[in-house]
Amino acid sequence: MSRSNETGHQLTLLEHLAELRQRLIWAALSLVVGTAACYAFVGTLREIVRRPARDVTLVYLTPPEALVTDLKLAFMGGVALALPFIFYQVWAFVAPGLTRRERRLVWPGAVGSVLFFFTGAVFAYFVVLPFTVRFLIGFASPGLQPMFSYSRYVAFVVALELSFGLVFQLPLVIMLLAALGVVTPGALRRFRKVAIVLVFVVAALLTPPDVISQLIMAGPLLVLYEISIGLAWLVTRHRRLAQTAKTGGEHHE
């Protein structure tokens, strides 16, 4: 894959590396700025993360635990804030080396990936987390009261958010594979029984080790798979119509 700058000049290896270094520096700076901005409001972030636990008390068990967890929380928020700018830096670096067709696939795919990820994260926060936490708190008794470690609770929340953000990429992945002709709607339908088994395996691997979280993830994944079949059908149909129109145009010429 060869690349060139705005003037059409072919870049040398050293120029490639220099540009890559510049893009990485800008991406790292955006991450630092985003993390610093989030740390300034870390109390608000802590309250947002704690909200699904309702009245459960968060405690820290070692002297540095609160500070270290606050830094981790600010870093995760910084990643979310900096993600659009980081994506732009990646796109600006790779776009000159892509063909026009590849750009038409990569750009909407990348933007869609971010949107699907945040959709999954929002679903996890407003639906999965409250239900899961309420279920787990239900095991409390007069001699057994819930008291969550701050760091472990944040790790639990982040794991769920990331897991659902990742699994919500399924329709987009299927659409891209269908657009490239790798999969077809018929093949996805024939694969359905195997997909159901794989969905529960993936849910067990990505969620915290409790059955409720796994079932809550498996349900949306099965729905997303069915949606993916429909999207694959639409993409495949559009691709075939485009190929037919192109062939017809060539015959007409």
Side-chain angles (χ1 to χ4, degrees):
M1 180 180 70
S2 62
R3 300 177 70 257
S4 59
N5 58 18
E6 293 82 354
T7 63
H9 168 68
Q10 293 293 324
L11 299 179
T12 65
L13 177 60
L14 290 178
E15 288 172 331
H16 275 297
L17 294 176
E19 183 183 357
L20 177 61
R21 176 176 174 272
Q22 182 182 13
R23 299 291 181 189
L24 290 174
I25 289 174
W26 280 113
L29 285 175
S30 69
L31 186 57
V32 170
V33 171
T35 301
C38 287
Y39 189 76
F41 298 95
V42 72
T44 302
L45 288 177
R46 189 189 307 128
E47 179 58 28
I48 291 172
V49 170
R50 192 200 65 81
R51 192 170 298 161
R54 296 191 172 182
D55 298 327
V56 175
T57 301
L58 295 181
V59 300
Y60 59 97
L61 306 178
T62 61
E65 180 179 345
L67 174 61
V68 172
T69 307
D70 280 348
L71 290 173
K72 290 179 180 178
L73 199 56
F75 176 76
M76 296 302 298
V79 171
L81 287 180
L83 193 60
F85 186 76
I86 293 174
F87 164 69
Y88 168 77
Q89 296 299 324
V90 174
W91 173 255
F93 181 74
V94 303
L98 301 176
T99 64
R100 183 176 299 178
R101 181 173 182 273
E102 289 171 337
R103 292 183 190 182
R104 286 202 302 265
L105 289 175
V106 172
W107 173 251
V111 174
S113 178
V114 174
L115 293 177
F116 274 103
F117 182 87
F118 281 109
T119 301
V122 169
F123 176 80
Y125 181 80
F126 287 103
V127 178
V128 181
L129 265 174
F131 184 87
T132 303
V133 172
R134 280 200 301 271
F135 173 79
L136 297 176
I137 291 176
F139 289 97
S141 63
L144 183 65
Q145 294 300 312
M147 188 175 292
F148 297 162
S149 162
Y150 179 33
S151 62
R152 296 201 173 190
Y153 175 74
V154 169
F156 175 81
V157 172
V158 170
L160 274 182
E161 294 288 312
L162 290 177
S163 299
F164 275 84
L166 290 175
V167 301
F168 267 63
Q169 307 292 311
L170 180 63
L172 182 65
V173 172
I174 296 296
M175 284 180 64
L176 291 176
L177 292 176
L180 295 172
V182 177
V183 298
T184 62
L188 292 172
R189 294 189 192 98
R190 291 191 297 271
F191 190 70
R192 184 182 278 118
K193 291 182 180 179
V194 178
I196 292 173
V197 176
L198 290 178
V199 160
F200 281 95
V201 172
V202 170
L205 292 174
L206 292 181
T207 56
D210 65 272
V211 177
I212 297 301
S213 298
Q214 294 166 9
L215 292 176
I216 293 177
M217 174 175 282
L221 256 178
L222 294 174
V223 174
L224 288 172
Y225 186 79
E226 296 300 322
I227 293 173
S228 299
I229 294 176
L231 293 174
W233 180 84
L234 290 174
V235 171
T236 302
R237 182 173 180 271
H238 176 75
R239 186 167 60 88
R240 288 174 178 170
L241 289 175
Q243 289 176 346
T244 302
K246 182 179 178 180
T247 304
E250 290 175 353
H251 285 301
H252 180 71
E253 293 176 359

